[in-house]
Amino acid sequence: MSTLGRGAPSAVALSVAALVTGMVSLQCGATFAKSLFPAVGAAGTSALRVGFSALILIAVWRPWRRSLPAREAGWIALYGAALGLMNLLFYLALARLPLGPAVAIEFAGPLAVALIASRRRSDFLWIGLAILGLLLLLPIATTDGLDPVGVALDLGAALAWALYILFGQRAGRVDGGQAVSLGMFTAALVVAPFGVAEAGASLLAPGILLSGLAVAIMSSALPYSLEMTALRRLDRKSFGVLMSLEPAVAACAGLVLLGERISAVQWLAIGLVIAASVGITVGSRRSAPQAAILET
């Protein structure tokens, strides 16, 4: 059921702000992570990112201070497994695909969640705008040039992202800090064997460890904590379509940090996904009282 009705409009606005801040941090971290691929590979970079994030979040939230019922532990384990697979598969895809197309393809996951959760006809207009924007960001005319293995890995990451949203809402019903820290620890257990197999002792080099820590802070610890906060106040539909900002943020990160030029079509795509995000946010705020009644 919807969780949007839990807070006033100001709480919804704070959730949206948290989500946007997390996306900016995430994409800046992704551009930096690519620089580590030649040294420790995509799986090694993913292991560093998730491993350091788990250590940071456990130190901050100290999840052992609260008891955890078995049912909630199961949801957190599923949430963490989806989180780990999402990170690993996306980095493996990112080693074969450019950042913009990779983010756009992966976004099929949350878009599917938003579409399935939709209940109003007007929502399909905003979802349609988001999809159109994503298609414009993805260079459809040159898709034959995309690595097919990379595309397959990215679609796997999209599925994991959808599961992350669904399981994350369940896990977020317990204490948010406890859920995200234990979830990240589970994710680290999932990813670590792949990272060690690919990079071995190279993961322990001081410079690599320092870079991995920076990636972890920018790409996982901060954004996933902010997303967990948003998940506790936004319903699945709102969260999914608001995440349509992700490809736009990725394009801007590429422009600022990597010097990637943004074409007129890509700027149009950015405008479409922003319009979709604004539309779904306004619609969700108007429907908040009804959502509160439906909540169980």
Side-chain angles (χ1 to χ4, degrees):
M1 287 296 181
S2 172
T3 60
L4 184 58
R6 287 184 178 178
S10 59
V12 176
L14 287 174
S15 296
V16 173
L19 206 55
V20 172
T21 301
M23 286 187 283
V24 171
S25 177
L26 178 63
Q27 295 307 321
C28 290
T31 61
F32 183 56
K34 290 196 76 170
S35 66
L36 288 178
F37 287 1
V40 293
T45 304
S46 180
L48 288 170
R49 167 186 172 177
V50 179
F52 273 119
S53 297
L55 292 176
I56 293 170
L57 291 171
I58 287 175
V60 170
W61 294 109
R62 292 177 288 175
W64 60 83
R65 295 181 303 170
R66 301 176 181 88
S67 61
L68 188 65
R71 182 176 180 181
E72 281 70 15
W75 286 117
I76 289 176
L78 290 172
Y79 160 70
L83 176 59
L85 288 174
M86 179 180 69
N87 279 273
L88 176 63
L89 291 172
F90 179 71
Y91 271 29
L92 291 174
L94 196 59
R96 297 171 175 268
L97 302 175
L99 180 60
V103 172
I105 294 170
E106 187 192 25
F107 200 72
L111 269 179
V113 173
L115 183 59
I116 293 172
S118 180
R119 293 294 181 269
R120 302 188 311 161
R121 291 182 180 180
S122 60
D123 293 335
F124 287 89
L125 170 62
W126 305 120
I127 292 172
L129 284 179
I131 292 174
L132 178 58
L134 292 170
L135 291 176
L136 290 175
L137 281 172
L138 182 65
I140 298 298
T142 59
T143 51
D144 289 340
L146 295 178
D147 185 279
V149 175
V151 171
L153 291 167
D154 217 0
L155 289 174
L159 175 59
W161 194 356
L163 294 175
Y164 159 76
I165 295 173
L166 298 176
F167 295 148
Q169 283 202 313
R170 293 283 188 173
R173 293 178 180 178
V174 301
D175 178 77
Q178 185 182 37
V180 74
S181 56
L182 292 177
M184 191 65 72
F185 177 75
T186 304
L189 295 179
V190 171
V191 176
F194 297 94
V196 172
E198 181 174 28
S202 299
L203 291 172
L204 301 178
I208 295 297
L209 289 174
L210 184 61
S211 297
L213 177 60
V215 171
I217 293 172
M218 291 188 293
S219 297
S220 290
L222 178 59
Y224 290 132
S225 293
L226 293 172
E227 284 183 17
M228 180 58 72
T229 299
L231 277 166
R232 290 171 64 87
R233 293 181 173 87
L234 297 175
D235 59 33
R236 295 176 185 176
K237 168 183 54 109
S238 302
F239 183 89
V241 180
L242 279 169
M243 290 299 291
S244 62
L245 281 171
E246 194 82 63
V249 173
C252 291
L255 173 66
V256 175
L257 301 177
L258 301 177
E260 297 176 347
R261 297 180 60 184
I262 304 297
S263 67
V265 173
Q266 289 173 325
W267 282 119
L268 173 61
I270 291 172
L272 289 174
V273 295
I274 290 175
S277 296
V278 171
I280 200 68
T281 302
V282 172
S284 295
R285 290 178 63 177
R286 288 176 178 173
S287 63
Q290 183 177 6
I293 295 173
L294 293 174
E295 185 180 13
T296 57

